[in-house]
């Protein structure tokens, strides 16, 4: 889902940048939009499995044929294929969490049915628990990313990130300018608690990892200059924090006009902008800067709106309540106040949340307070989903615990097939 058009890095009209200060000013001017909050967009990624052979990874032609034959989706989502063959639905911005949930639910039903008819299942897990990393999307951007990760010494983590992880992404308005600092701080502070609540990837490549969210563990193995939290020391000026972060981050790709080319030496964008080095034999343009920003993957990313990027994919029975909870904690002032206080003791516990989930008593306490602040507000359409989420949190269980139990009881391949065939209960969104 995008609130605005995607920048094109090959636009010959884009002006050259004269310095890192010039680049910082461009970022700060454009990273957050001053306006009312309320719109919500959703992106949900699902791993695609062969229902008769879960160890087989469906290929590019197979996936794109199914997508080409889809009818128009009732909720207006775009369908794309991730590097490893995960299928993503990206919904449009809609006025509030419930319309966004309803639209995404309708689109997921159509997509799931179409894939099932071809003998394929779409499974909502934070990481592929069975298959080794393998890229099926032939896009030049992803080929270049592989080259970058190899050159930077993170080949294994980069391959796993691109081809073995899946998430639920929330997109929310930045809100009024005078509330940006508090809103961005809260979006970050919620991260560890919501990672623990949503943790749903205990296995990777056929083995238990010892982490409730192997997806978050994989992201944590990548360069923190590209994937770590954005917030500066105080968090009082998120636009400047984002500019500083982006300019320090090494350039991953340069768009040459014929495609993406990997940068294999450490090259902070600030050095390129200041003329200390040249990439592609030239100075950067604002289009190059905009493209660079698309290669940064912090847990909360400013893109005029805020991308919340830290949630594992979770089952259809749970994600409506999870989405409603996070959006309400950000958008409702009373719920936000509760969340800010509840998450303060664990606001930087990213790794602990990924490893232990709600097995950590401090994260569990924060999660219980956050979910309780929202549960009574849930509209009728998602009350069953909210009851299930509340029950898990009260028990100190993450979705990963349920999946682990299923694997132990039935085996990994049968557990995946069961999940692929599971349908939401009648009456759920």
């Amino acid at each position: 889902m995008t609130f605005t058009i995607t920048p094109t890095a090959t636009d010959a009209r884009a002006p050259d940048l004269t310095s890192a200060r010039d680049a910082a000013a461009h970022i700060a001017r454009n990273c957050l939009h001053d306006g009312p909050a309320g719109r919500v967009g959703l992106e949900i990624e699902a791993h695609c499995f062969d229902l008769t052979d879960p160890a087989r990874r469906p290929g590019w032609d197979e996936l794109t044929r199914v997508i080409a034959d889809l009818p128009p989706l009732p909720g207006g989502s775009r369908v794309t294929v991730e590097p490893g063959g995960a299928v993503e639905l990206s919904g449009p911005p809609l006025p509030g969490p419930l319309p966004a949930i309803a639209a995404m639910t309708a689109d997921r039903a159509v997509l799931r049915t179409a894939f099932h008819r071809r003998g394929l299942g779409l499974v909502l897990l934070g990481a592929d628990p069975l298959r080794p990393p393998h890229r099926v999307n032939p896009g030049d951007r992803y080929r270049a990313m592989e080259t970058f990760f190899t050159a930077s010494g993170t080949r294994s983590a980069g391959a796993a990130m691109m081809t073995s992880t899946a998430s639920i992404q929330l997109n929310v308005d930045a809100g009024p300018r005078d509330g940006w600092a508090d809103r961005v701080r809260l979006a970050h502070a919620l991260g560890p608690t919501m990672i623990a609540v949503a943790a749903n990837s205990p296995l990777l490549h056929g083995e238990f990892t010892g982490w409730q969210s192997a997806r978050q563990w994989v992201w944590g193995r990548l360069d923190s200059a590209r994937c770590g939290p954005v917030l500066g020391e105080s968090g009082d000026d998120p636009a400047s924090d984002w500019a500083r972060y982006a300019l320090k981050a090494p350039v991953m790709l340069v768009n040459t006009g014929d495609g993406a080319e990997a940068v294999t030496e450490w090259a902070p964008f600030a050095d390129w902008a200041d003329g200390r080095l040249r990439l592609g034999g030239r100075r950067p343009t604002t289009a190059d800067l905009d493209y660079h920003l698309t290669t940064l993957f912090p847990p909360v990313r400013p893109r005029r709106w805020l991308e919340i990027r830290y949630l594992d994919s979770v089952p259809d029975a749970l994600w409506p309540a999870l989405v409603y909870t996070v959006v309400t904690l950000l958008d409702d002032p009373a719920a936000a106040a509760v969340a800010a206080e509840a998450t303060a003791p664990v606001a930087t516990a990213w790794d602990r949340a990924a490893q232990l989930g709600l097995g950590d008593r401090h994260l569990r306490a924060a999660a219980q307070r956050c979910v309780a602040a929202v549960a009574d507000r849930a509209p009728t359409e998602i009350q069953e989903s909210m009851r299930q989420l509340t029950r898990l949190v009260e028990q100190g269980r993450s979705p990963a615990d349920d999946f682990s139990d299923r694997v132990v009881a039935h085996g990994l391949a049968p557990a995946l097939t069961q999940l692929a065939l599971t349908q939401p209960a009648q009456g759920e969104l």
Side-chain angles (χ1 to χ4, degrees), residues 187-197 310 343 346-354 357-358 363:
H188 281 83
L190 279 168
T193 297
M194 289 300 127
I195 285 171
V197 171
Y310 43 64
T343 59
V346 291
T348 60
W350 299 91
D351 285 348
R352 185 151 43 103
L358 294 179
L363 288 160

Side-chain angles (χ1 to χ4, degrees), residues 282-371:
R282 58 179 176 81
R283 295 288 292 267
T285 67
T286 55
D288 289 312
L289 177 54
D290 290 338
Y291 190 57
H292 171 64
L293 297 179
T294 72
T295 70
L296 307 181
F297 310 111
V300 179
R301 181 164 68 171
R303 294 193 63 190
R304 301 199 178 191
W305 62 95
L306 296 179
E307 290 181 347
I308 310 299
R309 303 174 52 87
Y310 43 64
L311 302 173
D312 280 10
S313 271
V314 299
D316 281 303
L318 293 175
W319 71 254
L322 180 64
V323 166
Y324 186 83
T325 296
V326 176
V327 174
T328 302
L329 292 173
L330 287 169
D331 283 0
D332 182 274
V338 172
E341 181 181 342
T343 59
V346 291
T348 60
W350 299 91
D351 285 348
R352 185 151 43 103
Q355 185 167 18
L356 301 177
L358 294 179
D360 179 271
R361 64 186 181 90
H362 300 292
L363 288 160
R364 178 178 177 180
Q368 288 173 339
R369 287 192 63 192
C370 287
V371 171

Side-chain angles (χ1 to χ4, degrees), residues 160-204:
M161 179 274 285
M162 288 200 297
T163 69
S164 300
T165 63
S167 69
I168 294 173
Q169 182 175 300
L170 277 69
N171 299 277
V172 296
D173 287 307
R177 182 183 299 271
D178 61 4
W180 285 352
D182 287 341
R183 187 165 176 79
V184 172
R185 274 195 293 260
L186 179 57
H188 281 83
L190 279 168
T193 297
M194 289 300 127
I195 285 171
V197 171
N200 191 35
S201 46
L203 288 94
L204 188 66

Side-chain angles (χ1 to χ4, degrees), residues 1-2 42-46 48 60 62-83 85-92 103-104 106-115 120 122 137 142:
M1 162 266 173
T2 54
L42 300 179
E43 300 179 20
I44 295 185
E45 297 168 342
C48 185
W60 175 252
E62 185 177 3
L63 294 168
T64 53
R65 279 196 300 270
V66 179
I67 293 170
D69 290 339
L70 286 171
L73 297 182
S77 294
R78 286 188 306 113
V79 186
T80 54
V81 179
E82 293 297 298
V87 180
E88 180 180 42
L89 282 173
S90 299
M104 181 57 68
D107 289 351
R108 277 219 13 102
V110 173
L111 191 73
R112 194 169 50 236
T113 298
F115 273 77
L120 302 174
L122 298 176
N137 188 322
Y142 300 127

